[in-house]
Amino acid sequence: MSVAVLLFLGLGLWAAAEGRRNRCYLNRTEEYCVCYNLSEETIGSLIQCLPATVVKFQGGDVERFIAFPIGELDPSAIEMLGSLIVQKIIIGNVLVPEILLARVLRFFSYTHVRELAYESCIFQGTGDWSDMDGQDLPIRSLSFHNVSSAPLTGREQAFSSLSRWLESLEELAVTGCRVTSLPCAIGRVFRALRSLNLAQNSLSDGSLTPAFCQGAFPQLQELSLRHNNLSSYHGVCEGLGLLQELWHLDLSHNELTADPSSSCQWPASLRHFNLSNTGLDEVPTPLPPNLEVLDMSHNHLRAVDVSLSSLKKLFLNQNLLQAVPSLRNYPMLDTLHLDNNSIGELPRDEVKLLGRLQDVAVAHNPFSCSCSGAGGLQALAATGHLGQGWPGGYRCHSPAQYQGWLVAQVPVSVPHCDLAALVAPLCVALALLGVAGAVFVVRARPCRRA
Ligand SMILES: *[C@@H]1O[C@H](CO)[C@@H](O)[C@H](O)[C@H]1NC(C)=O
Ligand SMILES: *[C@@H]1O[C@H](CO)[C@@H](O)[C@H](O)[C@H]1NC(C)=O
Ligand SMILES: *[C@@H]1O[C@H](CO)[C@@H](O)[C@H](O)[C@H]1NC(C)=O
Ligand SMILES: *[C@@H]1O[C@H](CO)[C@@H](O)[C@H](O)[C@H]1NC(C)=O
Ligand SMILES: *[C@@H]1O[C@H](CO)[C@@H](O)[C@H](O)[C@H]1NC(C)=O
Ligand SMILES: *[C@@H]1O[C@H](CO)[C@@H](O)[C@H](O)[C@H]1NC(C)=O
């Protein structure tokens, strides 16, 4: 069994200097187990991790196992690997000799591990991956965060040996790895990939066209390019034009500019678009036509005047808007966030429409607490659809007498405010009286016959 465990660690024939305290800790409620600096001496504590579905190996030095003889597994070892319930393995802070990884990766085929993640690792050297020729693995999700390795270009042999497995992979994340380009051939291997996360890299507009070339990532539905080096809204649109299944695109945290004269069309499949924190001072056009979720928060927008007939969620918090966008442009809307803008008042007819949404947030705006201003907000709050920010996040900016007050505390009752409501019936009454009086006077006069 200990041989099996060693192999299962695979990636984890951990060694550490002797005399250090090394061991595994299981959190039963979370079915999560962490092993620090696991070494040959303390490998017994890995038994603790048997009830865990997620196992993390943190730290250690696997280099010295390169010379370790790794042959075929005996049937009992295979059975033991098959009985493990672990589904996700995370490997953190390790120097991984690729030559070792190439030799042990195939043992995953006896397990139920579906997710494999490397964090802050260094892959050293290049391995011979021929053992993986034609081999499939149960792993469907692979992620690398803050990992460095030998360059991917010129590694066609490795990709070809791994292709049987890679073409069945569904999720891939390569984040915080200083990636500047992705060869076209790589995308063509990932035929079943649904989700690709390339956040926190250094991709520029020009690197998208080769990465998402004809035939690359044909099933891709979700793509994150958050926090990269993208600069042109239309350049990105042109670079992603071939992704015909794309459903969710995250471009947040890039400094984008939009060129008004471009007519690039986004994939019609796009439903969820994140343009948060992209330095935009106008809503870029064209937007994908069938959007359901649009996040343009944390920008410099002064007005939003677009219609999107299928839009359900619109996030515009942290902008410079002075008015609520017209809800008539979004007949399907259920969520609208407008916190941290420059909105002074909600017009009465908009309050009615806003009250029909499921989730509205307008906190941290410079509210005018006139009767109609405070009254409108209080009426909206009474619908119960204002989010958690009510009442604390809603304060008056004007008039002077209410500055700093909670909007909720401003009196909008009849004697304070609805003077008009009192005055109007009074006027009508007076007018009626007047008419009655006039009629009386007329009637009271003796009739003069002509
Ligand atoms: C693991 O080893 C590192 C140094 O390599 C040490 O700083 C850390 O405290 C060790 N962790 C445990 C839990 O022993
Ligand atoms: C397990 O994790 C939960 C949730 O994070 C935590 O509340 C609990 O204290 C942990 N248990 C142990 C034994 O660490
Ligand atoms: C990234 O990984 C390296 C080791 O490869 C580590 O020294 C560094 O602290 C990590 N950085 C972050 C931000 O986690
Ligand atoms: C970002 O892209 C520009 C060109 O578009 C390039 O000059 C610059 O070096 C890139 N920055 C990084 C950090 O990759
Ligand atoms: C958009 O991206 C930002 C930052 O990356 C994130 O905080 C936000 O939740 C995302 N919006 C949506 C609607 O998923
Ligand atoms: C609005 O701004 C406040 C204070 O600057 C901040 O605490 C809050 O998180 C912001 N809310 C949103 C939704 O941006």
Side-chain angles (χ1 to χ4, degrees), residues 226 250 252-253 272 274 276 293 295 315:
R226 183 170 59 84
D250 185 351
S252 62
H253 293 272
H272 192 129
N274 199 333
S276 174
V293 179
D295 190 339
F315 300 95

Side-chain angles (χ1 to χ4, degrees), residues 21 25 98 135 184 240 265 380 398-399:
R21 282 185 303 118
Y25 302 88
E98 204 181 287
Q135 175 84 60
C184 168
L240 303 180
Q265 295 298 313
L380 185 56
S398 64

Side-chain angles (χ1 to χ4, degrees), residues 16-347:
E18 276 151 70
R20 229 180 248 152
R21 282 185 303 118
N22 314 292
R23 57 169 301 183
C24 299
Y25 302 88
L26 173 71
N27 185 326
R28 234 169 236 286
T29 44
E30 296 217 306
E31 300 187 347
Y32 185 88
C33 197
V34 193
C35 296
Y36 296 97
N37 303 336
L38 207 60
S39 70
E40 278 172 287
E41 296 78 41
T42 54
I43 196 123
S45 71
L46 191 58
I47 298 280
Q48 289 206 58
C49 293
L50 291 182
T53 53
V54 180
V55 179
K56 176 165 185 175
F57 298 106
Q58 180 72 17
D61 177 8
V62 300
E63 269 178 294
R64 69 150 105 156
F65 289 95
I66 292 178
F68 202 81
I70 299 168
E72 288 308 313
L73 295 183
D74 58 49
S76 68
I78 292 174
E79 191 184 335
M80 186 266 171
L81 288 178
S83 69
L84 293 171
I85 64 164
V86 61
Q87 289 177 7
K88 176 170 184 175
I89 294 185
I90 306 165
I91 294 159
N93 287 89
V94 172
L95 194 74
V96 186
E98 204 181 287
I99 199 164
L100 186 63
L101 185 59
R103 274 193 272 160
V104 299
L105 195 60
R106 66 196 155 103
F107 296 122
F108 275 100
S109 63
Y110 302 118
T111 70
H112 304 294
V113 175
R114 287 188 63 81
E115 288 182 60
L116 179 59
Y118 293 92
E119 295 169 359
S120 300
C121 294
I122 298 174
F123 289 87
Q124 221 181 24
T126 55
D128 171 9
W129 293 92
S130 55
D131 276 1
M132 285 295 293
D133 273 335
Q135 175 84 60
D136 195 8
L137 297 179
I139 297 164
R140 291 290 170 266
S141 168
L142 183 59
S143 90
F144 303 90
H145 176 69
N146 182 29
V147 160
S148 61
S149 77
L152 292 179
T153 35
R155 306 280 294 280
E156 288 77 13
Q157 190 52 50
F159 276 96
S160 139
S161 294
L162 289 167
S163 65
R164 175 80 197 283
W165 165 47
L166 295 181
E167 70 191 24
S168 67
L169 209 64
E170 292 166 10
E171 291 176 18
L172 176 66
V174 183
T175 56
C177 297
R178 293 176 288 273
V179 175
T180 54
S181 67
L182 214 56
C184 168
I186 289 188
R188 291 181 175 158
V189 174
F190 291 95
R191 270 190 253 157
L193 205 70
R194 284 187 289 102
S195 166
L196 177 61
N197 183 353
L198 294 169
Q200 293 174 268
N201 283 298
S202 304
L203 293 167
S204 54
D205 308 339
S207 56
L208 299 182
T209 305
F212 300 98
C213 62
Q214 187 74 46
F217 307 107
Q219 311 260 4
L220 200 64
Q221 293 176 8
E222 273 190 55
L223 174 62
S224 175
L225 296 170
R226 183 170 59 84
H227 208 300
N228 270 276
N229 190 20
L230 304 175
S231 60
S232 157
Y233 179 79
H234 296 105
V236 175
C237 175
E238 273 150 25
L240 303 180
L242 296 174
L243 296 174
Q244 288 307 308
E245 305 286 319
L246 195 65
W247 179 84
H248 184 153
L249 178 61
D250 185 351
L251 299 180
S252 62
H253 293 272
N254 284 283
E255 205 58 32
L256 297 179
T257 50
D259 164 12
S261 66
S262 164
S263 61
C264 172
Q265 295 298 313
W266 293 94
S269 52
L270 212 50
R271 295 288 181 278
H272 192 129
F273 198 17
N274 199 333
L275 289 170
S276 174
N277 243 307
T278 46
L280 292 170
D281 45 25
E282 272 177 49
V283 178
T285 53
L287 284 168
N290 303 317
L291 281 185
E292 291 178 5
V293 179
L294 176 59
D295 190 339
M296 289 196 292
S297 59
H298 298 263
N299 281 299
H300 315 298
L301 305 179
R302 292 176 182 278
V304 173
D305 187 19
V306 286
S307 315
L308 286 164
S309 58
S310 46
L311 199 68
K312 294 181 181 158
K313 301 189 193 305
L314 179 57
F315 300 95
L316 293 169
N317 39 297
Q318 203 84 52
N319 274 290
L320 303 169
L321 301 180
Q322 291 182 340
V324 177
S326 171
L327 292 181
R328 288 170 187 82
N329 291 336
Y330 316 104
M332 306 290 284
L333 205 68
D334 62 43
T335 300
L336 178 62
H337 287 191
L338 293 163
D339 315 67
N340 296 16
N341 274 284
S342 306
I343 299 170
E345 199 167 308
L346 309 182

